[in-house]
Amino acid sequence: MILKNLNYPLDFKFKITTLSSDFNITDVHGNYVCYVRQKLFKLKENVVIFSDESRTKELYTVKANQWIDFNASYTMREANGNPVGTLARKGLRSFWKSTYDVLDLNKSPLFQITERNAWTKFLDGLVGEIPIIGMFTGYFLNPVYDVKDTTGRLIFELKKMPSFSEEGFSWKEKWISLMNTKH
């Protein structure tokens, strides 16, 4: 599993100079964890996770199960095609606060990802549309996503870092031994 034996926090650096949503994930020492690329011009979302930016070794794919759906779900597979699990968006709940369930192969919940503060999402959408001022929302409107296990215990925190020129997130592990004991 890709999340096993990592040195946290992880940093997500988005490439704002490309048309697709590409980003690198590195550990606390700057070592590559993976490179993520969303395929362009696909009616259904299609994301490929590679070992590094050269894109020579594919690790995983994440594909939307439907074209347009308020309750979108995404199947995660290893490079060999074996399913790993599903990421399912909570439709109405996500309208105000983004909420996703991470499910295993039997569709049993493993984790829930929830946006911590709905007002950040609302203000980013509102202020982001204002000419000139909207350019600065990336510096002061930074969403935080909590990843909790099935008991409600906080496992990870995914936080957008303040930035003018580059979108970046930091993934901080909150419960150190989870990934090493569960997998």
Side-chain angles (χ1 to χ4, degrees):
M1 172 127 203
I2 200 169
L3 296 177
K4 198 172 185 180
N5 300 320
L6 295 175
N7 296 308
Y8 293 92
L10 302 180
D11 289 318
F12 294 56
K13 298 287 189 206
F14 289 80
K15 295 188 166 276
I16 59 171
T17 57
T18 64
L19 293 174
S20 60
S21 296
D22 295 7
F23 59 93
N24 296 309
I25 302 176
T26 55
D27 69 10
V28 69
H29 305 295
N31 299 319
Y32 253 94
V33 173
C34 62
Y35 177 76
V36 180
R37 181 176 183 87
Q38 182 175 2
K39 290 188 176 183
L40 288 174
F41 310 116
K42 296 283 183 181
L43 291 177
K44 291 195 277 186
E45 288 186 79
N46 187 354
V47 175
V48 182
I49 302 167
F50 298 95
S51 60
D52 61 32
E53 203 166 343
S54 70
R55 298 184 295 190
T56 54
K57 183 179 178 192
E58 185 177 309
L59 300 174
Y60 298 94
T61 60
V62 181
K63 293 183 181 180
N65 294 345
Q66 296 181 24
W67 178 47
I68 296 177
D69 188 5
F70 198 55
N71 291 315
S73 65
Y74 305 85
T75 301
M76 298 174 282
R77 296 181 183 279
E78 295 175 322
N80 62 12
N82 292 335
V84 176
T86 302
L87 180 68
R89 184 171 189 251
K90 295 283 194 169
L92 288 177
R93 187 180 290 178
S94 289
F95 185 71
W96 180 242
K97 281 171 76 168
S98 296
T99 303
Y100 296 86
D101 286 331
V102 179
L103 310 171
D104 66 14
L105 293 175
N106 299 318
K107 304 293 184 205
S108 298
L110 294 172
F111 304 102
Q112 186 170 71
I113 304 168
T114 308
E115 191 168 10
R116 189 177 290 170
N117 185 340
W119 285 107
T120 303
K121 178 180 180 178
F122 174 77
L123 289 173
D124 187 33
L126 185 68
V127 177
E129 297 301 316
I130 300 172
I132 300 173
I133 294 172
M135 296 179 349
F136 299 101
T137 61
Y139 197 75
F140 63 90
L141 291 173
N142 300 303
V144 176
Y145 299 88
D146 292 328
V147 180
K148 296 180 180 179
D149 66 11
T150 56
T151 67
R153 180 178 40 209
L154 182 64
I155 305 299
F156 291 103
E157 175 183 272
L158 183 62
K159 181 179 183 182
K160 183 178 177 295
M161 305 309 289
S163 173
F164 284 120
S165 62
E166 186 174 281
E167 296 284 331
F169 280 88
S170 177
W171 176 293
K172 295 181 183 174
E173 188 172 24
K174 293 297 184 179
W175 191 50
I176 301 299
S177 62
L178 174 78
M179 288 296 130
N180 295 327
T181 59
K182 283 229 177 195
H183 300 285

